[in-house]
Amino acid sequence: MSLIDAGAAPAPAGPSPVARVSRTRLYYVLAAVLIAFFAVRALLGADDLTSAGAIRAALQLAVPIGLAGLGGVWTERAGVTNIGLEGMLIVGTLFGAWAGWQWGPWTGVLAGVIAGALVGALHAIATVVFAVDQIVSGVAINILALGVGGVLGKVFFEGKPEASERQSPPVDDMGSWSIPGINDPLGKLEGRHWVILSDLAGILRGVFVGLSPLTVLAILLVPLSWLILWRTSFGLRLRSCGENPAAAETLGVNVYRTKFLAVVISGAFAGLGGVYLVTVSSGTYLEGQTGGRGFIGLAAMIFGNWTPIGTAAGALLFGYTDALRLRSDNSSVPALLAFAAVALIYLAIRQMWRIYQTDGPSGLVRRVTPSAVWLVAVGVFAGFVALAVSAADGWGTTGIVTLGLLLAAAIGYFGVRLGQRTSAGTLTLYLPTAVVLGVLTLTGFDVPNQFVGVTPNIATLLVLAFATQRLRMPAADGLPYRRGA
């Protein structure tokens, strides 16, 4: 009997083919999504979507988020909530810049990791040893890190060359890493803009050419964390502490030591993410440069269902949308809207097919009719909004964005309510949203800069909203543990 299953009813014997079928289906779905994405890119001429520069920028923006989220996986799999990851990122940036400026970037990496681990140990002492509320401890660490960063920034950098109390001197570059012999062939293939082939060439060129050694290290930490947590006895003991710590204790696991170590490792990961911001992203320490990436890392962890690979996928999603925003390619965001419309139409068709299989033609008509009525209402309302905007010369982009957000809120709220009342399900949300996005794309609607700026946040919220129904957090996550209690 495993540690996690201790105290529970024994599972039925024999292999279960469900996981293999689900995994195979997942691979097919991912392949279909990529092909649809490549097709939208080619049809709309949005070549920057799969360019090597966009992929490389997405990796650079995703690594700090992913490292913070990976730290969250370690600590929450052990049953300790850690919202102090933002503060650990801040400490990593500060000490990474201080040591990296004086003794080189790799010394800065070591200093940032140690500083993050020490802050993680502080969180572990408060939550594991003294059973302080884990949310309160995390908030306190974030506040403390902000204050310590401001004070030590003056001590470390004030009066130094090319520095101020809020900025460090430049940190030496680590250089870059590439697989030799692939840059020119992949670059030529990418420049032809062929569907699938050029897209894959751009992705491979972005991943394997011109990467920082720290980026390579961060990528390798994802499968390494998965191997340790899911394929070693230590990982089994750690996960048992997050599922059933009392049962783990009866089987000889030192729950306090395991939780403590997991939180320290979590801080080390976050500290490494802070060092990455200093040595790779900007080359210098700037006060406030973490920009809430610790909290976004927590969102990526939830999106990834508390797994290393899923967390990395969530970080890449945010990093990719943020990279497109920063590169200011006007064709990228409309292409993403078109892809979202295609995805929603596919989800609607799949749900209608399932309804047809279970309820027959009459059931399909009964459940689709509310969606059709709501779709007509949304279309009429959108038409009136478009006429009003075209007639009002003084509204500008602010008025357009405001009306767009109101329209999105109306579609979401009334669509969900209508689906709940009529058993139409999410069809009342999929179909109107897909039609609105498709109309915006086909009419060549110029997306305002205000919307482009919040695209990463909107993408993260949408993915979390649709993914949370299939997620399961560790059973004892966030619950204080007292031996014998």
Side-chain angles (χ1 to χ4, degrees):
M1 181 181 296
S2 69
L3 294 174
I4 294 179
D5 294 332
S16 176
V18 177
R20 288 197 298 269
V21 173
S22 300
R23 186 173 300 176
T24 303
R25 182 177 300 175
L26 176 62
Y27 293 151
Y28 283 130
V29 170
L30 289 176
V33 168
L34 286 176
I35 292 173
F37 188 70
F38 297 158
V40 169
R41 190 276 310 166
L43 289 173
L44 297 181
D47 297 326
D48 196 47
L49 286 178
T50 56
S51 67
I55 301 302
R56 196 174 297 118
L59 279 175
Q60 183 172 316
L61 292 166
V63 166
I65 298 171
L67 287 172
L70 204 57
V73 171
W74 276 81
T75 181
E76 299 211 8
R77 278 292 173 181
V80 180
T81 300
N82 187 4
I83 66 169
L85 291 169
E86 177 71 11
M88 298 171 192
L89 275 174
I90 294 173
V91 171
T93 59
L94 179 67
F95 283 90
W98 171 70
W101 161 62
Q102 299 185 83
W103 301 297
W106 287 107
T107 307
V109 170
L110 181 61
V113 169
I114 293 175
L118 289 176
V119 178
L122 178 63
H123 183 55
I125 291 172
T127 58
V128 178
V129 177
F130 294 105
V132 175
D133 185 276
Q134 295 168 12
I135 303 298
V136 173
S137 175
V139 172
I141 283 177
N142 291 334
I143 297 173
L144 180 65
L146 284 173
V148 170
V151 173
L152 292 184
K154 295 180 180 180
V155 175
F156 288 164
F157 308 127
E158 191 173 19
K160 301 299 187 295
E162 302 181 61
S164 66
E165 62 183 36
R166 297 187 175 183
Q167 179 177 345
S168 73
V171 180
D172 292 338
D173 187 24
M174 286 185 169
S176 61
W177 172 88
S178 303
I179 294 181
I182 68 170
N183 187 27
D184 291 338
L186 290 178
K188 292 177 181 178
L189 183 57
E190 179 188 355
R192 296 184 180 276
H193 304 303
W194 292 339
V195 183
I196 299 179
L197 290 179
S198 295
D199 296 309
L200 292 176
I203 293 173
L204 293 174
R205 188 163 167 253
V207 171
F208 295 112
V209 175
L211 290 183
S212 165
L214 209 54
T215 303
V216 178
L217 174 62
I219 294 174
L220 293 177
L221 285 175
V222 175
L224 180 62
S225 295
W226 180 83
L227 286 172
I228 293 175
L229 290 176
W230 269 268
R231 290 294 184 269
T232 65
S233 58
F234 169 74
L236 179 61
R237 290 194 296 270
L238 187 147
R239 288 185 292 118
S240 70
C241 294
E243 297 290 347
N244 195 335
E249 191 77 48
T250 61
L251 294 176
V253 177
N254 190 326
V255 175
Y256 290 117
R257 183 176 63 190
T258 304
K259 285 177 176 284
F260 196 101
L261 183 59
V263 180
V264 171
I265 293 174
S266 170
F269 275 113
L272 182 60
V275 175
Y276 187 93
L277 287 172
V278 170
T279 57
V280 179
S281 298
S282 63
T284 184
Y285 165 79
L286 296 169
E287 186 175 336
Q289 71 185 130
T290 56
R293 287 176 174 84
F295 302 112
I296 301 171
L298 287 174
M301 175 198 69
I302 296 171
F303 164 77
N305 202 15
W306 288 265
T307 63
I309 296 176
T311 300
L316 280 173
L317 171 68
F318 191 92
Y320 181 69
T321 53
D322 203 17
L324 295 180
R325 174 185 67 85
L326 293 175
R327 290 172 67 84
S328 301
D329 187 350
N330 294 330
S331 65
S332 298
V333 175
L336 288 179
L337 295 179
F339 175 71
V342 171
L344 290 172
I345 290 173
Y346 163 74
L347 292 174
I349 293 174
R350 188 184 68 171
Q351 185 170 348
M352 287 190 289
W353 175 249
R354 289 179 175 177
I355 295 173
Y356 178 81
Q357 288 181 315
T358 56
D359 299 342
S362 59
L364 177 63
V365 172
R366 184 179 67 254
R367 297 182 65 177
V368 171
T369 300
S371 302
V373 174
W374 177 233
L375 180 60
V376 172
V378 169
V380 173
F381 179 71
F384 278 115
V385 170
L387 290 175
V389 170
S390 63
D393 296 332
W395 284 18
T397 55
T398 303
I400 295 174
V401 171
T402 302
L403 286 173
L405 293 176
L406 290 175
L407 176 60
I411 292 174
Y413 176 76
F414 290 107
V416 170
R417 296 292 295 174
L418 184 63
Q420 292 173 343
R421 290 180 177 273
T422 62
S423 299
T426 51
L427 281 174
T428 53
L429 186 61
Y430 291 158
L431 289 176
T433 307
V435 169
V436 170
L437 294 178
V439 169
L440 291 177
T441 303
L442 294 175
T443 56
F445 178 72
D446 188 14
V447 180
N449 291 330
Q450 292 93 329
F451 179 82
V452 175
V454 297
T455 300
N457 307 78
I458 293 175
T460 303
L461 290 174
L462 288 176
V463 170
L464 286 176
F466 284 106
T468 48
Q469 297 178 355
R470 297 177 178 268
L471 304 180
R472 191 194 77 84
M473 65 187 295
D477 186 16
L479 301 179
Y481 173 72
R482 295 283 90 184
R483 183 178 294 153

